[in-house]
Amino acid sequence: MAKISIEDVSFSYEQDKKNNFVLKDVSYSILPGDSVLLLGPNGSGKTTLLKLIMGLLKPTKGKIRIDDADTSKASVFEISKKVSMIFQNPEKQFFAETVREELSFGLKNRGLREEEIKKKVEEVAKKFGLFEYLDKSPFDLSGGEKRRLSIASIIILDPEVLIVDEPTAGLDFQYRNLMISIIRGFLETRNKSLVVATHDIDFGLRIANKAAVINEGKLVWSGDVVSLLREEEIFSKGILAHTFTSSLISRVISQSNVDFQKVVKILEELTEGLM
Amino acid sequence: MSTEESRKTIIRIRNLSFKYKNAEKNVLDTINFDVKEGEFVLITGPSGSGKSTLARILTGLIPNSYPGDLSGEISIMSFDPRRNKIYEIAQNVGLVLQNPENQLFALTVEDDIAFGPENLGLERKEIKERVEWSLSVVDLQKERHKAPFELSGGLQQKVAIAAVLAMKPKILILDEPTSYLDTLSAIKFAYFLNELKRELNLTIILIEQKIDLFFKFLSRIVVMNEGKILIDDEPDVVMNFCIRNKIPINIPLQLLIIRTLGETYDGKKLYDYQVDDYKMLFEKIINDR
Ligand SMILES: Nc1ncnc2c1ncn2[C@@H]1O[C@H](COP(=O)(O)OP(=O)(O)O)[C@@H](O)[C@H]1O
Ligand SMILES: Nc1ncnc2c1ncn2[C@@H]1O[C@H](COP(=O)(O)OP(=O)(O)O)[C@@H](O)[C@H]1O
Ligand SMILES: [Mg+2]
Ligand SMILES: [Mg+2]
């Protein structure tokens, strides 16, 4: 399973000017089994970092390695064998005429047999509530449906490392919960890893075990999720903001010493109307 | 301040149905919906339930840009999208879309905001004033010369709002505007929207999943499902209905905690309690298990 090393990476979109850095000296490692929450305000550089990992952008300084391959030298196709990314604006990524073709594309490229593809596509479509749209154009779907399709088309490829950019933006209650169970399902396989850039901290707390915080292009904090919740400074300085739920969790685990996983579970039961 | 009763009804919809061209079934099915001047109405519901479609009708995009079969009575400040053009409606009803990128096209933020007022044929001075005002309202003065496509999602959403505000609409419709905002920006945005509403005397229709951010500002909540309005009432009444009937929407956690403990409450006041009050209540829930 893949290991990703980000080594002293700086990046500027203006390749000639080299001073307007959007990322500055970022170092971080993502190990097999890690589920990393990438947090930070709008514009802090999260999407840029994800694109660098995918090899869609090249570091201005420093390097990123996936196992031993330098992403500046490897082709995007090579990288995509191990790492897959679900982008933030899914409608931009669609190219097929039907939902079915969109879902089949990656599998065809891998040379799967026709019947096998059909079976997989229909199974995944059902799971994502897209079955009745299989013959529709991706562009005629509603916002939430488009997002589900973009996620389905990556999950179907079963990558080693899954990278997701703002997966819950625009999702309703049910599909946000579905997303959580899909990501948990993905992480059940040993040594798969996940990097998710999100500002939905409530969602992140339900799936991640680690967190990295970026502010103005700098990695300002990293550690495990429970320590993040005990970290007051990041929240009081306005780099991150608590939601009502995250502040409640933070207080309960740090002041009353209740186990984090237990708190998350009870909150889930509360919101799903099981109590 | 006028009482609810004496306020003018500015949107009146009766038996509205709509089917997109070439689609098989209605996406909106005999909807009745009124909005009074000065209201802050939140519309929520599962994806695909027809919320954006309703917003497109209220702004004239349907049937002017999206063809289909539209029937029923529609009066939006006396406009009917079947008789009036989009630009006529746009001076009264502004729409901020779910994905700001679809709304931005000019080379600079400033130009994007100026685009609407320019198309209205306003004087240079007036256009300039509106651009300045809009930029300051959304706090984007620093980004004014940047290209919208270079901005991150959250900042783009602010540009989209500024561009709509520059048209000085009386009704503002926002389609899931916080989807791309970080938590701090989203919290600020909720207060900002409420202030904006008061200052400019706006009527707001907000399509949103994050009910808790806006709860204390709302006059009403409308829940849609499969092209119909499931319930349309005061926030407390709607929340109780949704909890009782297990409607899959984001019920604010504060309400769930109180309700689980079987305590009586006044919904709006719940937001005056401190997190520590809820922490005590929540610990009671943990201990009860
Ligand atoms: N294609 C681009 N060209 C120039 N600047 C960009 C581009 N994309 C993003 N930026 C800038 O880079 C910074 C980081 O953006 P981004 O990585 O999208 O942040 P985040 O995902 O954390 O919101 C922002 O200031 C943004 O304006
Ligand atoms: N341009 C379109 N053409 C055909 N069908 C559409 C179009 N836009 C949306 N729909 C369909 O109409 C239904 C309602 O969509 P929408 O109003 O976007 O829902 P919501 O905003 O509540 O998620 C969905 O089933 C969607 O697939
Ligand atoms: Mg981003
Ligand atoms: Mg919508």
Side-chain angles (χ1 to χ4, degrees), chain B residues 123-149:
Chain B
E123 281 179 30
R124 276 274 115 217
K125 186 162 165 281
E126 170 76 12
I127 295 174
K128 202 165 171 288
E129 272 171 20
R130 286 196 184 193
V131 170
E132 290 311 319
W133 174 78
S134 293
L135 279 171
S136 71
V137 163
V138 299
D139 195 20
L140 274 184
Q141 287 103 328
K142 264 195 333 206
E143 281 78 13
R144 62 193 305 155
H145 299 300
K146 284 197 180 167
F149 73 86

Side-chain angles (χ1 to χ4, degrees), chain B residues 218-283:
Chain B
L218 303 175
S219 339
R220 264 162 59 209
I221 297 180
V222 177
V223 181
M224 293 187 65
N225 192 36
E226 296 188 358
K228 289 189 186 290
I229 289 178
L230 211 55
I231 182 166
D232 172 356
D233 213 320
E234 287 174 15
D236 284 359
V237 177
V238 171
M239 288 299 103
N240 277 326
F241 173 87
C242 292
I243 294 174
R244 241 192 345 268
N245 295 291
K246 294 201 191 297
I247 309 295
I249 59 170
N250 293 313
I251 314 271
L253 182 58
Q254 289 94 325
L255 302 186
L256 291 169
I257 289 177
I258 297 281
R259 195 167 157 108
T260 304
L261 291 169
E263 310 218 346
T264 52
Y265 64 89
D266 167 346
K268 292 215 178 194
K269 277 207 197 111
L270 288 184
Y271 286 82
D272 298 333
Y273 297 160
Q274 301 299 310
V275 182
D276 281 327
D277 300 324
Y278 288 102
K279 180 184 155 253
M280 276 165 50
L281 293 174
F282 184 64
E283 279 164 4

Side-chain angles (χ1 to χ4, degrees), chain B residues 190-208:
Chain B
Y191 282 88
F192 157 72
L193 199 59
N194 190 50
E195 273 307 302
L196 197 67
K197 174 186 173 295
R198 292 212 316 223
E199 243 168 66
L200 308 180
N201 230 340
L202 289 172
T203 302
I204 292 188
I205 301 174
L206 171 69
I207 299 172
E208 198 33 270

Side-chain angles (χ1 to χ4, degrees), chain B residues 40-60:
Chain B
F40 193 147
V41 180
L42 182 141
I43 303 181
T44 195
S47 72
S49 57
K51 305 180 297 296
S52 297
T53 303
L54 182 60
R56 284 175 190 149
I57 293 172
L58 297 177
T59 47

Side-chain angles (χ1 to χ4, degrees), chain A residues 116-258:
Chain A
E116 233 176 314
I117 294 179
K118 186 165 186 286
K119 188 164 157 264
K120 252 195 152 156
V121 164
E122 292 182 357
E123 189 185 296
V124 168
K126 274 193 194 126
K127 194 159 143 195
F128 282 77
L130 293 168
F131 191 73
E132 56 179 307
Y133 304 122
L134 275 175
D135 298 313
K136 246 189 170 183
S137 159
F139 297 96
D140 284 347
L141 301 177
S142 78
E145 290 159 358
K146 280 180 182 153
R147 177 148 314 249
R148 265 136 60 197
L149 175 58
S150 70
I151 293 151
S153 64
I154 297 297
I155 288 286
I156 205 169
L157 298 174
D158 196 30
E160 290 177 29
V161 183
L162 179 63
I163 295 190
V164 200
D165 199 4
E166 304 286 2
T168 59
L171 279 195
D172 65 9
F173 176 82
Q174 256 174 321
Y175 285 103
R176 191 159 166 271
N177 283 344
L178 175 68
M179 177 71 69
I180 287 165
S181 69
I182 285 163
I183 288 181
R184 283 180 177 162
F186 170 79
L187 291 171
E188 256 167 33
T189 308
R190 238 175 89 85
N191 287 335
K192 294 248 182 197
S193 38
L194 171 79
V195 182
V196 59
T198 185
H199 44 67
D200 185 349
I201 188 164
D202 296 353
F203 160 79
L205 293 177
R206 294 169 66 182
I207 50 160
N209 53 24
K210 296 204 171 163
V213 182
I214 303 192
N215 189 41
E216 295 179 351
K218 293 198 184 107
L219 184 71
V220 293
W221 191 93
S222 64
D224 63 61
V225 165
V226 176
S227 324
L228 177 70
L229 286 170
R230 297 211 166 98
E231 192 71 43
E232 277 168 24
E233 212 171 282
I234 298 259
F235 290 95
S236 63
K237 273 188 181 163
I239 297 173
L240 296 182
H242 269 303
T243 60
F244 174 74
T245 306
S246 68
S247 67
L248 186 71
I249 299 178
S250 150
R251 275 162 214 241
V252 173
I253 62 167
S254 45
Q255 294 168 14
S256 309
N257 230 353
V258 186

Side-chain angles (χ1 to χ4, degrees), chain B residues 10 37-38 58-59 76-77 79 86-96 103 113 116-117 120 122 126 130 133-134 160-174 193 196-197 199-205:
Chain B
I10 49 176
E37 194 167 23
L58 297 177
T59 47
I76 304 152
M77 298 183 71
F79 291 105
I86 292 178
Y87 79 88
E88 292 176 291
I89 299 177
Q91 293 172 59
N92 294 284
V93 189
L95 176 65
V96 176
Q103 205 158 356
I113 298 171
L120 294 180
L122 298 175
E126 170 76 12
R130 286 196 184 193
W133 174 78
S134 293
I161 290 164
V164 168
L165 287 178
M167 299 293 280
K168 299 261 170 133
K170 296 181 187 59
I171 304 174
L172 191 58
I173 303 181
L174 304 103
L193 199 59
L196 197 67
K197 174 186 173 295
E199 243 168 66
L200 308 180
N201 230 340
L202 289 172
T203 302
I204 292 188
I205 301 174

